[in-house]
Amino acid sequence: MRSHIVQIVKTNRVFHFSVMALFALLIGFSGSIRAASKNEQASKYYEDALVRYEKKDFAGAIIQLKNALQQDANMLAAHVLLGRSFLEKGQPNSAEVEFDKSLALGVDRAVIAISRAQAYAYQGKYRRLLDAVALDGLTPIVHQAVLSIRANAQMELGDLKAARQTLEQAYAITGTKPPHLILIDANLSFREGKPQVARSLINQAINLDPKSAPYWNFRATISHSENNFKAALSDYDKALALDPKYLTARLARVSLLMEMAQDKKAELDLQYLQREFPEDPRGLYLGALLSDRRHDSAAAKKTLHDLTKVLDPISPEVLDQSSQLLLLGGLAHFSLNQMEQAASYLKRLLTLAPEHIAGRKLMGALRLKEGNSNAAIEVLTPVISATPDDANALSLLASAYMAQKDFRKASALLERATQVTGGAPQFESSLGFSLLGGGQVNQGLEHLTRAFLKDPGQPQVGAALAILHIKRGQPRQAVQVAEAMTRLEPNSPLALNLLGVARVAANDRAGGRAAYDKAVTADHRFIPARLNLAKLDVMEGKHDAARERLAMILKEQPNNAQAMSELANLEENLGRLDAAILQLQKIHSLEPKNIGPGVHLAEIYLRRGEAEKALNLAKDLENANSADLEVLAIEGRAYVAVGNPGLARVIYKRMTLMAGFDSAWQCRIAQLQLGAGDQNAAQYNLDKSLSGNPEYLPALALQTELELKTGKLSEAEARARRIVSRYPGQGEGYRLLGNIAVARGRLDEAMTHFRTALDKEPGTDAAIRLYQASIQAGRQAHATGVMTGWLKAHPNDDAARLALAEGHLRAGNIVAARAVYETILKRRGETVGILNNLAGILLQQGEAAALDYAERAYRLAPSEAAVADTLGWVLVRQGQAEKGLRYLREAKLRNSSNAEIHYHLAAALERLGRPAEARQELDQALTGNTSFPGIEDAKKLHQRLPFPAIR
């Protein structure tokens, strides 16, 4: 059984039972019985739908799947099969909705890769297809199919070179040329201006498969382009005879009939389109054209009005290909006095057709109203020409250039302002900020320091200076700045709060708490200090105190986003992710442009494997905050999570330019680049980080880790020793030396370094590293002694306790592991990982209580494959294979590459008398050199099952 590790922190619960409470428990128990009954009914509907789908009764399958989802709206298998059924019924938009729901529920992207790509392609959402449908983790056949769909999308977007490269990749996968790839080759050749080559290729495809409608349709397209209307109409007719619902051919035939002035026949096809594809924008557009040909302006206008109802929900990938549709959308909305929507259409139109005068006028106005910095520069430049010594005008114009990231011009203007005023602190500080933005960190720090020394009463300068020191890994200097501010204003809550932040950064939590308390005493309404006290409470494991502080703030200010955000942090630390998500979603609904909570919510989505949710949220945040590095960082990580590291790297390159020489951000971007698999870019970011601050410890440490990762052990060791020399009182250098020793297999040396790191800076990370190195060295007793000693001195460190349990579990000591897990459960309450692992242990020990633990884990995290697999497998092992089947199917959909899940599903199917399906699952489980718990049992089951009958 797989281990499911989650973060554990402190919580206390006391339960008081009354008669009413017991009555509520009875009601809840009966509700669970009803829920179980609904789940069983949903499974029956699903199995019937599966049979209907296989018999191509897609309408019947859709009905049964909707019945299943009425019983259980989160039944993953039903959403997946419903999406495929909609696709077969020619409803790609509905299919897309179901596939999106499947992704939100955690389906393995590889399971629906082809179907999802087809849904996008059928709707013309080509850019979305290329962005969203990843290629990693696909089998060769699926990989080839997705590549073929991608090549077609690239052609539709006009990128013929990329399409040709993708097609060659598809050919190379199997070394054969199936007819569906030949069709793409023919289409590509046609677009490359080689119609004869295209015709020869499509004839080959027709000879190989004469009953495929797309091949006849494409040959008709060639004839249509050559004005051979008779031949084109004949082939369109053949395509539609083979597949009457082939939308592309139907639309093309309407267009051809209109060119041939056969409007009555075209009207018949339009009526068919209205009946079968009422929301297709191309059909509506053709209808508008036909009305215009008949000089029926009222009908044309009505059609355009209807068109807006269809166009607005469509993604830009479709609309941005047609200037006519963009113009129609803009004009339709304009006539309806929907100016914002009209502006949106016209902006995209100007991108496609820059010469459009009306669009230019409208977009110019919108930018001015939005405070475009170009307008500010236009207004201020004449002022500077007339009065070159006007310091305020110089400062304002510099601000406009800074908004455009033109720090060179801004700095020049501010230098003039500083000279004019004789080095006035406000201009000195502005110059410092501008220099920082331009990457001149040391010079910027010098000017900020000078400004602060001249006037310590500039709180924004003091705060910026202190934070800059903290970012540069110099918290003691930050404390000095904050102390200077408090000496000047001893009762300033702002200064005292900053002092608390600096002290906590310098590992002086007691001093930090004293400063925060003093700030609150000075002004109880000063929320930042109260929030920082709550944060400190959480850091020290005082969760009840933190909750009480936050509750008091929310009582005074029910919509305080910062307090709700900290409450979300608290819930997250307690392992209550659903509660954390609810808090963050509430903030996002109240303040959709609030970056922090939105980024935090996306972080949790990523951690739960809900990459599509994270990406959609990140895109929303980016639309509102396109220049925010935190937003771009989470968007890049989401792209990596959905399998599109290329787009992530594009975002990180943009961030690199925006971050300038900010050492902290360049270091973070380097970490992001490594996550996207681009070591060269990561090295560039690290070089830039260290050029801004050569002694920046996080960048030095990451540089060492990168050298270690790339096998440059000597260089890594030399750098780590320089870190030890430069920062002798800190544990980071010794931690790095320990990692290097582990890589070299020198485990005793690694243990020595980790012990030194622990002595220098006692902390959970160092304790766990020493523990793990001891286990790797085969010194289990020593490892256990290290961890039990640490826990004796730090009894509230459940992260360390969890590591101890995992060590016992890996060593096969399930009795000891169970004892530690039960201790954590008693101390912290229910968390998914603990419950799931206990269920697995109890199942191995043959205890019936395994089911109770598995069910409790599933209630907390129904979207996690490991949890669904555990519950399903416990049910199967306890003689409830029919109930377990549903959960195992869900687990497979969420993690289709997991061999153990395939084995568990096979075992359930075999017990239910379905040997053919069971063998299919075992074939997948035993493919390759995989290994998993129970593999020997899987092999024995595989030998017992009969081979499938030959038909």
Side-chain angles (χ1 to χ4, degrees):
M1 190 64 58
R2 288 168 313 290
S3 174
H4 183 97
I5 304 174
V6 294
Q7 186 180 7
I8 308 294
V9 291
K10 183 177 178 182
T11 182
N12 295 305
R13 294 184 179 181
V14 180
F15 293 95
H16 301 283
F17 289 100
S18 64
V19 174
M20 289 304 294
L22 290 171
F23 179 66
L25 285 174
L26 289 173
I27 293 175
F29 183 72
S30 65
S32 298
I33 295 174
R34 289 195 296 273
S37 176
K38 283 192 171 186
N39 287 342
E40 292 173 10
Q41 188 62 44
S43 296
K44 290 179 180 178
Y45 281 130
Y46 172 81
E47 297 298 329
D48 182 62
L50 183 60
V51 172
R52 292 175 184 271
Y53 180 86
E54 291 170 350
K55 292 180 178 179
K56 299 189 182 301
D57 177 13
F58 303 121
I62 289 171
I63 291 172
Q64 291 297 74
L65 291 166
K66 287 182 176 180
N67 287 335
L69 291 170
Q70 284 183 346
Q71 300 296 317
D72 183 355
N74 293 324
M75 187 177 188
L76 178 58
H79 283 294
V80 171
L81 190 58
L82 183 56
R84 289 175 175 159
S85 300
F86 276 134
L87 203 57
E88 294 289 349
K89 282 286 289 178
Q91 301 176 43
N93 54 337
S94 297
E96 180 189 350
V97 170
E98 294 305 320
F99 294 142
D100 285 346
K101 290 179 181 177
S102 301
L103 287 167
L105 289 169
V107 71
D108 187 333
R109 290 180 291 105
V111 172
I112 60 171
I114 296 176
S115 300
R116 188 166 170 236
Q118 289 172 333
Y120 288 133
Y122 293 164
Q123 298 175 81
K125 297 183 177 181
Y126 302 118
R127 287 196 180 90
R128 176 64 175 156
L129 188 161
L130 295 175
D131 290 348
V133 181
L135 296 172
D136 58 312
L138 306 181
T139 63
I141 298 300
V142 175
H143 193 178
Q144 187 183 63
V146 174
L147 281 173
S148 70
I149 301 171
R150 286 177 67 86
N152 186 69
Q154 287 162 336
M155 278 192 290
E156 294 298 329
L157 292 171
D159 193 348
L160 302 186
K161 183 178 179 180
R164 177 64 68 185
Q165 292 173 346
T166 302
L167 178 61
E168 294 303 325
Q169 291 174 19
Y171 277 143
I173 287 178
T174 60
T176 61
K177 292 190 174 183
H180 72 275
L181 289 185
I182 295 175
L183 169 62
I184 297 172
D185 204 344
N187 195 351
L188 186 53
S189 297
F190 180 71
R191 296 184 187 220
E192 289 170 339
K194 305 171 185 176
Q196 296 309 313
V197 174
R199 186 178 291 278
S200 175
L201 286 167
I202 200 59
N203 284 337
Q204 291 178 35
I206 290 173
N207 290 335
L208 290 170
D209 186 3
K211 294 185 178 180
S212 177
Y215 307 155
W216 292 103
N217 175 70
F218 185 70
R219 196 169 79 171
T221 300
I222 297 174
S223 298
H224 195 163
S225 71
E226 295 171 343
N227 292 324
N228 188 346
F229 292 168
K230 184 177 180 180
L233 185 59
S234 174
D235 283 346
Y236 284 139
D237 289 344
K238 287 178 181 178
L240 290 169
L242 289 168
D243 184 359
K245 294 186 178 180
Y246 189 19
L247 177 59
T248 302
R250 184 76 63 176
L251 291 164
R253 191 166 75 174
V254 172
S255 178
L256 176 61
L257 289 169
M258 290 174 65
E259 287 185 68
M260 297 172 69
Q262 296 184 22
D263 289 3
K264 290 185 179 180
K265 289 183 179 180
E267 179 65 28
L268 292 175
D269 271 344
L270 285 169
Q271 290 173 0
Y272 181 91
L273 289 169
Q274 180 62 30
R275 183 171 64 254
E276 296 293 333
F277 304 99
E279 295 184 354
D280 185 85
R282 293 165 295 178
L284 287 170
Y285 179 60
L286 287 170
L289 288 179
L290 188 59
S291 296
D292 185 64
R293 280 162 61 99
R294 293 172 175 170
H295 306 289
D296 189 347
S297 58
K301 185 176 180 179
K302 179 183 182 303
T303 304
L304 293 177
H305 182 90
D306 293 339
L307 182 60
T308 63
K309 298 178 182 177
V310 176
L311 288 176
D312 289 349
I314 296 176
S315 65
E317 288 88 341
V318 178
L319 295 175
D320 288 353
Q321 308 310 307
S322 171
S323 60
Q324 289 178 314
L325 290 179
L326 289 169
L327 179 60
L328 288 172
L331 290 173
H333 281 297
F334 186 84
S335 66
L336 296 170
N337 201 31
Q338 298 170 343
M339 304 311 293
E340 289 186 7
Q341 296 92 323
S344 175
Y345 279 96
L346 291 170
K347 179 180 178 181
R348 302 204 300 271
L349 174 60
L350 286 176
T351 301
L352 190 64
E355 73 283 354
H356 197 285
I357 295 174
R360 283 181 172 273
K361 290 180 178 179
L362 181 59
M363 293 310 301
L366 288 173
R367 291 184 182 275
L368 289 171
K369 291 178 181 178
E370 291 170 354
N372 192 305
S373 58
N374 285 326
I377 292 171
E378 261 189 331
V379 170
L380 289 170
T381 300
V383 178
I384 302 303
S385 299
T387 56
D389 292 337
D390 187 331
N392 288 325
L394 288 166
S395 179
L396 286 171
L397 185 55
S399 298
Y401 279 120
M402 279 195 281
Q404 295 185 341
K405 306 297 181 184
D406 191 342
F407 298 107
R408 182 183 60 82
K409 289 183 180 179
S411 296
L413 290 164
L414 288 167
E415 284 176 359
R416 285 173 57 190
T418 304
Q419 292 171 357
V420 167
T421 60
Q426 65 269 33
F427 298 112
E428 192 88 62
S429 61
S430 294
L431 178 56
F433 287 127
S434 181
L435 290 166
L436 287 173
Q440 301 178 61
V441 178
N442 291 331
Q443 296 93 320
L445 185 61
E446 178 185 345
H447 281 281
L448 284 179
T449 303
R450 192 181 299 165
F452 183 72
L453 291 174
K454 288 181 179 179
D455 182 10
Q458 294 187 85
Q460 72 278 15
V461 176
L465 193 57
I467 292 169
L468 183 60
H469 280 310
I470 291 172
K471 285 185 176 181
R472 287 167 63 91
Q474 301 165 333
R476 290 179 178 83
Q477 288 91 323
V479 171
Q480 291 173 0
V481 171
E483 286 177 343
M485 293 174 66
T486 56
R487 282 195 296 271
L488 189 66
E489 296 186 73
N491 294 318
S492 166
L494 179 66
L496 290 165
N497 184 62
L498 182 63
L499 178 60
V501 171
R503 284 176 174 173
V504 170
N507 292 319
D508 180 9
R509 292 182 181 177
R513 183 176 291 278
Y516 292 146
D517 283 334
K518 194 171 181 181
V520 173
T521 300
D523 184 357
H524 181 74
R525 297 168 299 176
F526 189 66
I527 299 298
R530 294 167 66 185
L531 289 171
N532 283 331
L533 280 168
K535 291 179 185 179
L536 192 54
D537 286 336
V538 173
M539 290 172 64
E540 296 178 346
K542 301 174 182 177
H543 299 111
D544 290 341
R547 190 180 296 279
E548 185 177 345
R549 288 185 198 277
L550 296 171
M552 184 62 68
I553 294 172
L554 289 171
K555 183 178 179 181
E556 299 167 12
Q557 301 178 15
N559 292 329
N560 187 294
Q562 289 179 298
M564 287 189 284
S565 183
E566 290 305 323
L567 185 57
N569 290 335
L570 176 59
E571 300 291 8
E572 182 182 2
N573 279 306
L574 291 172
R576 302 170 185 165
L577 289 185
D578 288 338
I581 287 173
L582 285 175
Q583 285 292 332
L584 293 170
Q585 287 175 336
K586 182 178 179 182
I587 301 172
H588 188 61
S589 65
L590 290 170
E591 301 180 9
K593 293 184 179 181
N594 192 335
I595 294 170
V599 170
H600 189 183
L601 181 56
E603 287 267 7
I604 294 180
Y605 284 150
L606 286 178
R607 201 175 315 142
R608 290 178 60 151
E610 298 174 341
E612 288 289 336
K613 278 187 178 180
L615 181 57
N616 290 334
L617 175 57
K619 285 181 177 179
D620 288 343
L621 291 170
E622 199 266 343
N623 287 336
N625 307 276
S626 60
D628 189 272
L629 290 171
E630 290 287 357
V631 170
L632 293 174
I634 196 68
E635 185 178 14
R637 289 176 54 200
Y639 272 120
V640 171
V642 300
N644 197 336
L647 278 179
R649 288 193 286 268
V650 171
I651 290 173
Y652 298 155
K653 183 176 180 180
R654 178 181 163 197
M655 292 174 64
T656 299
L657 294 172
M658 293 170 61
F661 289 86
D662 185 317
S663 296
W665 262 112
Q666 292 294 352
C667 184
R668 278 191 62 184
I669 298 168
Q671 291 175 311
L672 294 170
Q673 297 279 23
L674 289 174
D678 195 338
Q679 292 184 5
N680 291 333
Q683 184 61 63
Y684 175 82
N685 289 112
L686 282 174
D687 290 342
K688 204 165 183 181
S689 175
L690 292 169
S691 68
N693 181 7
E695 301 300 327
Y696 186 53
L697 180 57
L700 292 171
L702 184 58
Q703 178 70 73
T704 309
E705 296 282 8
L706 182 56
E707 290 167 342
L708 177 59
K709 183 178 181 179
T710 54
K712 299 176 181 178
L713 299 185
S714 297
E715 292 91 331
E717 181 177 2
R719 192 179 299 277
R721 293 195 181 280
R722 286 199 297 272
I723 292 173
V724 168
S725 176
R726 177 67 180 82
Y727 299 97
Q730 298 188 37
E732 184 68 7
Y734 295 100
R735 179 191 69 81
L736 292 166
L737 287 172
N739 289 343
I740 295 165
V742 169
R744 286 175 164 159
R746 302 173 184 172
L747 296 174
D748 287 342
E749 181 183 333
M751 290 166 59
T752 299
H753 288 310
F754 289 140
R755 168 56 69 184
T756 303
L758 185 61
D759 292 340
K760 295 280 184 181
E761 287 186 290
T764 303
D765 179 72
I768 291 176
R769 287 180 186 275
L770 177 58
Y771 171 67
Q772 291 173 339
S774 301
I775 291 177
Q776 285 182 265
R779 299 173 62 179
Q780 184 69 46
H782 178 265
T784 302
V786 166
M787 194 52 71
T788 53
W790 174 261
L791 287 170
K792 184 177 180 180
H794 305 84
N796 294 325
D797 191 345
D798 279 324
R801 186 170 280 108
L802 184 60
L804 177 62
E806 293 298 321
H808 287 318
L809 201 59
R810 283 190 292 269
N813 189 350
I814 61 174
V815 174
R818 176 178 176 176
V820 178
Y821 281 134
E822 287 176 339
T823 297
I824 298 173
L825 191 65
K826 289 177 183 177
R827 285 171 43 80
R828 303 299 180 226
E830 294 192 346
T831 58
V832 176
I834 305 303
L835 292 169
N836 193 64
N837 289 353
L838 279 171
I841 290 172
L842 268 62
L843 183 64
Q844 292 182 61
Q845 293 179 327
E847 295 193 22
L851 179 58
D852 174 62
Y853 284 101
E855 287 176 335
R856 286 154 65 188
Y858 185 81
R859 281 196 294 270
L860 289 174
S863 62
E864 295 198 26
V867 176
D869 176 55
T870 299
L871 176 55
W873 187 230
V874 170
L875 287 165
V876 171
R877 290 282 299 275
Q878 293 188 358
Q880 302 182 65
E882 187 171 359
K883 285 186 177 180
L885 179 62
R886 174 258 172 86
Y887 299 105
L888 293 172
R889 284 195 189 279
E890 243 186 66
K892 172 190 165 183
L893 287 170
R894 297 183 188 282
N895 189 356
S896 64
S897 62
N898 188 288
E900 187 179 5
I901 292 175
H902 283 290
Y903 161 55
H904 291 166
L905 182 54
L909 290 165
E910 189 270 340
R911 295 191 187 197
L912 293 171
R914 295 157 75 167
E917 287 185 70
R919 189 176 185 86
Q920 289 178 355
E921 297 298 333
L922 280 176
D923 286 343
Q924 294 187 60
L926 298 174
T927 298
N929 298 319
T930 186
S931 179
F932 56 86
I935 190 171
E936 295 303 322
D937 291 334
K939 290 177 179 178
K940 292 176 184 177
L941 177 59
H942 194 262
Q943 292 173 354
R944 293 201 311 269
L945 290 172
F947 285 94
I950 299 176
R951 298 181 179 177

